[in-house]
Amino acid sequence: MSQTRRDFLKTVAAGAAVAPWFGSSRLFGAEASKVRHASIGGSGMGFADITSFSKHPGFELVAVADVDLARTERVKERFPQARIYQDWRELLKKERENLDSINVSTPDHMHGPIAMAAMRMGLHVYVQKPLAATIRETRKLAAYARSHGIVSQMGIQISSAPSQRAFETMIRAGAIGKITEVHTICEKSWGAEGLLPAVTSPVPPTLDWDKWIGVGELRPFQEGAYHPGEWRRRVGFGTGTLGDMGCHIFSPPFRALGLTAPIRVTAHGPGPTKDNWATKARVHYVYPGSALTQGSTVDLWWYDGGERPPEQVLALAGDRLPKTGSIAIGTDGALVLPHIGDPFLLPAEKFTTYQLPVIEPRDHYFEFLDAVAAAAARRGAAPQTSASFSYAAPLTESVLLGNIAAWYPGETLEWDARRMRVTDRKEAKQHLRRKYRTGWPTRGL
């Protein structure tokens, strides 16, 4: 059995084991020494992450790296003790002995290389979604974290919210019977039409463009095209709307139903260009069924950029269908989960006396830090986090498969998860892994 297949089977098994995790937010490491932490990314989601971490009494921010030093000003004001670097490699080299953990809050194309480099130094890692840019990277990260006792967490923080976990509890309790299909929706449109213009802009003096490119394919800087926020639209750097939001929105049905890997995926266009992801998508996944589904398979649909579910689903939900969220259709009704909001049952008149389950609060960031503190205190095995890489890798893999299918609009791709290959489109293998620019640490990927 190949190493890839072996890793996949172990990851799926580990992910299934943590799927129903319902830990508390008590501070496992409150009596221990501080969790010494560094952030790769100093603004945007990076600043949001370290701000959330800082609410934990055991958190100490040691250092921050950001390729654009102008975007570290808020860090300097909020965390004046933190040392600032422009190169994450330098930070890891100089600060390794001062650190227990890091978060990776960068553009998607650098998640895998940074996380693997940190884990190889023995650091625990929190990585923003999607876990990595390719399926091979997700599997390698999960396998390394598992085999080396690394505490890991993917940044799908809303998955710890009581509303999301209530949805999962209701599905597992059979509130709407056996599940027949799931529809997931996102109103965002992280894409662009055509190609980028062949222009070059002056690089801002505070930005190291070469370090921003990192392992990616070198190209000229274009103002407003990549940095600081437009990279999500760009092939090779972001992963479009599906990569941005898929891990968030897929997670409740994925976890509730115990899904693993789809057996086939169809993307109904338009396709991406060399430079840009499409502005809208409609993707159909077919997963093996479970004890909670009606049949031997179950359909899951994704819609973004204004695409909407079919008429029968729209008629069922009416004006209560969220612009972003999901709806599970069961044999006894439907369950709707707004992306930020409480789940509700349909038809409403059938469930007038139904009481939503009471879910114990859980802090996604605290959960990670508590596990790191417990590992450092050597009190046995560290608590398993709810979005550890064993769970995050298969979840991210589904998201990335949708993007692979987008390159072949209208075609149904058969997916052999154990061998990590598209069986009926051999050329699709080019999207399962990528070439890295030389001079960057990518060992283990």
Side-chain angles (χ1 to χ4, degrees), residues 259-284:
L259 301 181
T260 53
I263 55 179
R264 63 185 66 95
V265 185
T266 310
H268 296 276
T273 67
K274 178 178 68 69
D275 292 333
N276 301 312
W277 294 106
T279 57
K280 61 181 180 178
R282 181 164 53 95
V283 185
H284 179 204

Side-chain angles (χ1 to χ4, degrees), residues 38-51 61 63-79 82-86 88 91 103-107 227-228:
S39 175
I40 313 302
S43 189
M45 201 62 219
F47 186 78
D49 284 340
I50 56 179
T51 299
L61 184 64
V64 172
D66 197 298
V67 295
D68 190 345
L69 293 178
R71 293 172 62 79
T72 62
E73 293 305 316
R74 285 198 299 169
V75 173
K76 293 175 184 177
E77 294 175 6
R78 176 70 174 78
F79 305 96
R83 291 180 283 278
I84 305 297
Y85 294 83
Q86 197 167 25
W88 62 268
L91 182 153
N103 63 279
V104 183
S105 307
T106 66
H227 177 74

Side-chain angles (χ1 to χ4, degrees), residues 147-392:
S147 62
H148 289 78
I150 301 293
V151 175
S152 61
Q153 183 90 303
M154 184 168 72
I156 48 171
Q157 58 277 3
I158 197 170
S159 70
S160 285
S163 59
Q164 306 276 306
R165 293 156 57 211
F167 174 95
E168 297 165 17
T169 300
M170 294 164 72
I171 293 290
R172 286 193 290 266
I176 57 171
K178 299 289 187 178
I179 304 305
T180 60
E181 58 191 88
V182 178
H183 299 268
T184 58
I185 313 157
C186 181
E187 66 176 340
K188 288 186 178 182
S189 181
W190 279 117
E193 297 179 358
L195 301 175
L196 287 170
V199 299
T200 301
S201 306
V203 178
T206 58
L207 172 66
D208 190 319
W209 180 239
D210 184 79
K211 292 184 177 66
W212 189 97
I213 291 287
V215 300
E217 181 182 347
L218 189 62
R219 71 223 20 231
F221 175 76
Q222 290 187 36
E223 185 177 359
Y226 299 97
H227 177 74
E230 297 301 306
W231 53 267
R232 292 193 186 279
R233 306 181 190 276
R234 313 304 174 206
V235 170
F237 298 96
T239 46
T241 309
L242 185 49
D244 176 32
M245 295 299 293
C247 290
H248 281 311
I249 300 170
F250 274 33
S251 184
F254 191 91
R255 194 192 301 269
L257 294 173
L259 301 181
T260 53
I263 55 179
R264 63 185 66 95
V265 185
T266 310
H268 296 276
T273 67
K274 178 178 68 69
D275 292 333
N276 301 312
W277 294 106
T279 57
K280 61 181 180 178
R282 181 164 53 95
V283 185
H284 179 204
Y285 296 83
V286 179
Y287 286 90
S290 70
L292 297 170
T293 63
Q294 184 182 38
S296 59
T297 62
V298 63
D299 293 343
L300 186 150
W301 288 82
W302 167 266
Y303 314 91
D304 68 41
E307 293 282 349
R308 303 293 274 171
E311 284 300 324
Q312 61 268 30
V313 177
L314 295 176
L316 174 64
D319 59 6
R320 299 190 70 188
L321 186 72
K323 293 182 178 179
T324 297
S326 59
I327 177 169
I329 309 296
T331 54
D332 297 329
L335 179 59
V336 182
L337 178 66
H339 178 54
I340 300 176
D342 291 331
F344 58 89
L345 291 155
L346 294 173
E349 60 272 15
K350 183 177 179 178
F351 298 98
T352 55
T353 62
Y354 189 94
Q355 298 294 314
L356 290 180
V358 177
I359 304 297
E360 183 181 3
R362 182 178 76 207
D363 188 295
H364 203 70
Y365 294 93
F366 282 27
E367 182 186 36
F368 173 73
L369 294 175
D370 291 342
V372 172
R378 300 182 182 276
R379 297 194 301 272
Q384 180 70 274
T385 60
S386 58
S388 73
F389 292 176
S390 289
Y391 174 72

